Every structure is written in structure tokens, then in C-alpha cells.
Amino acid sequence: MKKELKEAANTVEEASNSRALVVAARAGFAVSGLLHLMTGFVAIRLAFGTAGQADQGGAVAQLAGQPGGLVLLWTGFAACVALALWQTSNAVFDYGQLEARKQVGKKLSAGGKAVVFAVLALTFAASATGNSRNSGKSTSDFTVSIMKAPGGSFLLIVIGVAIAVVGVVFVVLGVKASFKKDLRLPSSGTGRTIVTGLGVAGYVAEGIALFLVGLLFIIATVSARPQESTGLDGGLTALREQPYGLYMLTAVGAGLICYGLYLMAKAKYARM
């Protein structure tokens, strides 16, 4: 029995390292980059009072409206599924050479990324099949459902804190430029500087956006108003309402555009 399980695990690992899956996973980075680009542009429009849903759900809806939108949606779905599978493989099979503490951290990080890309794949599929919903409304409904369950308020606070912590981690990774370890940077000094600069700005902006989402979860739970937990769109809208919000939201939008460009560069330069 152990022999069969080991052979099955080896087969899965070999499949996860296949060239076809690696190419598809790289395409997943590019697709995610495109969605961050579109989200960033919508955030900047939102800063200046133009209506729009400033999250990946809104970006996918815009993508669906382009010529050949249905093909683009299913292509995005396939690419994100491949990237989710590749990250899952990393979480299960990789990092065995690291010390226990670092190994756990790397595996959890890969597992979290796998979940993110799986959710993104579902977003593509929902839009392609005509079942997409307003992301902020979906998040609000999800929060209401959780809050009604036993221990739901505690769980929502945990979720909010977890998202906010991930946001802080993103900011730290950006400031320290730690993401460079995952890349084979271009040989030219100019290319390295551009990719690194995009990564720094992008990670910081993504971190701020995630921190705002987590904060909304916590505030909505503590104030017993789950309808205020409206995802990234709600977080960016809340940011616009603050003093100097126009400038802060514009900066975050520009940072998300940088992160999108960084992910597109990562599609080529990522260590895989």
C-alpha cells in the first residue's frame, strides 16, 4: 500500500513539473497581472468619482465585455487552474531541504497562493457561465452568513486579522524587495531596476489594499454591521472618503498597476 501511494505521489510530482503545466502556470501570472492592471485603472477612476467596481470581479467583468471575451475568460480560467495546481504542488512536495520553521512558512505561503488562484479561476468560470455577481455584495452576504453561525463573529475577526496580516507581510516583502529571491532577474542593470521597482511599488500597494479589506472585516464584525464588509471594492471606496483620500487612492491604484506589470514580468522571470 505504501509503495502504491509513493508511486502515485511521484506521478503527481512529475506531472506538476511538466513543461506544459509550467507554461500554463506562467500564463496564470500574466492573467493575474492583467487583472491587477485593470483593477488599478478602475481604482484611479474611482478616486476621481467615476463609477466602477474596483476589484478583480469588476476587472473580469470588463474583460468579458471585450471582443472574444468568452475565449479570454476560459483562457484565464485554465491559466489560473494551472497556477493553482503548481502552487499546490509546491506546498506538498517542495522545500524539503529547508529547516522546519522555514519549510512550514514556505508551504503555507504556497498553499495560500493556491487558494487565491483557485478563487480567481472560479471568478473567471462564474463570469464565463453568466453566474457572476457583484463582488462587494457577495462578500457582504458571506459575512452575514458567517456572523449568524455559532462563533461566527470570532471567526470573522480571525479572517479579518489574517487578511490584514497578509497585507502587512506584502508591504514588508515590498520594502525589503524579498520577492527577488523568486525571480531570475534580467541580465541588464536597467531591466533589473525596472522589475525590482515594479515589485516594490506593487507589493506595497497590494499590501495596503489587503490591509484595508481585513480592516473592513474587523470593523464590520465589531460594529455588528456585516453589510459593511464589501471586499476590495469597499476598502478602496473607504480609502477615498478619508482626508487626502483622492491622492491615497490614486497612489494605491498606480501601485496596483505596477503590481500587474510586475506579475507580467514574473510570468517570464519566475523561478519554476
Side-chain angles (χ1 to χ4, degrees):
M1 184 65 177
K2 289 184 179 180
K3 182 179 178 182
E4 285 78 2
L5 288 174
K6 186 176 181 180
E7 289 176 353
N10 289 335
T11 301
V12 173
E13 185 174 9
E14 288 174 5
S16 69
N17 292 324
S18 69
R19 178 162 179 78
L21 184 58
V22 168
V23 169
R26 289 187 185 278
F29 282 125
V31 169
S32 182
L34 174 62
L35 293 182
H36 277 86
L37 272 176
M38 298 175 74
T39 301
F41 282 121
V42 174
I44 292 174
R45 290 172 56 201
L46 190 66
F48 291 93
T50 306
Q53 189 182 340
D55 60 9
Q56 289 184 336
V60 169
Q62 291 188 36
L63 191 62
Q66 305 305 312
L70 190 60
V71 174
L72 292 173
L73 291 175
W74 284 118
T75 301
F77 167 77
C80 288
V81 166
L83 193 46
L85 290 174
W86 179 72
Q87 293 287 6
T88 300
S89 170
N90 287 345
V92 175
F93 298 111
D94 287 356
Y95 312 119
Q97 76 281 9
L98 300 177
E99 62 182 63
R101 185 171 60 85
K102 290 184 178 180
Q103 184 181 140
V104 170
K106 287 285 189 180
K107 285 181 175 290
L108 287 176
S109 175
K113 291 175 183 176
V115 172
V116 169
F117 283 108
V119 170
L120 194 51
L122 291 175
T123 302
F124 274 113
S127 188
T129 56
N131 294 319
S132 59
R133 302 177 59 196
N134 176 281
S135 179
K137 182 66 166 59
S138 297
T139 306
S140 178
D141 291 347
F142 166 78
T143 307
V144 171
S145 299
I146 294 294
M147 188 174 285
K148 289 180 179 178
S153 295
F154 174 76
L155 179 58
L156 283 175
I157 290 177
V158 170
I159 291 173
V161 170
I163 295 173
V165 168
V166 170
V168 173
V169 170
F170 262 75
V171 172
V172 172
L173 290 174
V175 171
K176 291 185 174 181
S178 303
F179 55 86
K180 290 195 294 183
K181 294 182 293 185
D182 299 327
L183 304 174
R184 291 187 176 91
L185 289 169
S187 57
S188 70
T190 302
R192 288 196 298 271
T193 300
I194 290 173
V195 173
T196 301
L198 290 173
V200 170
Y203 265 83
V204 170
E206 182 81 355
I208 291 172
L210 288 171
F211 182 81
L212 289 171
V213 173
L215 198 59
L216 276 183
F217 265 97
I218 296 169
I219 292 173
T221 305
V222 171
S223 62
R225 290 181 291 188
Q227 68 278 6
E228 293 184 3
S229 176
T230 50
L232 179 57
D233 188 44
L236 296 179
T237 301
L239 181 61
R240 185 185 62 181
E241 303 304 321
Q242 305 308 309
Y244 305 105
L246 184 150
Y247 306 105
M248 290 190 290
L249 185 52
T250 301
V252 169
L256 290 174
I257 291 172
C258 288
Y259 191 60
L261 293 172
Y262 163 77
L263 287 174
M264 289 180 171
K266 187 175 181 178
K268 179 179 180 179
Y269 298 115
R271 297 180 183 274
M272 302 182 77

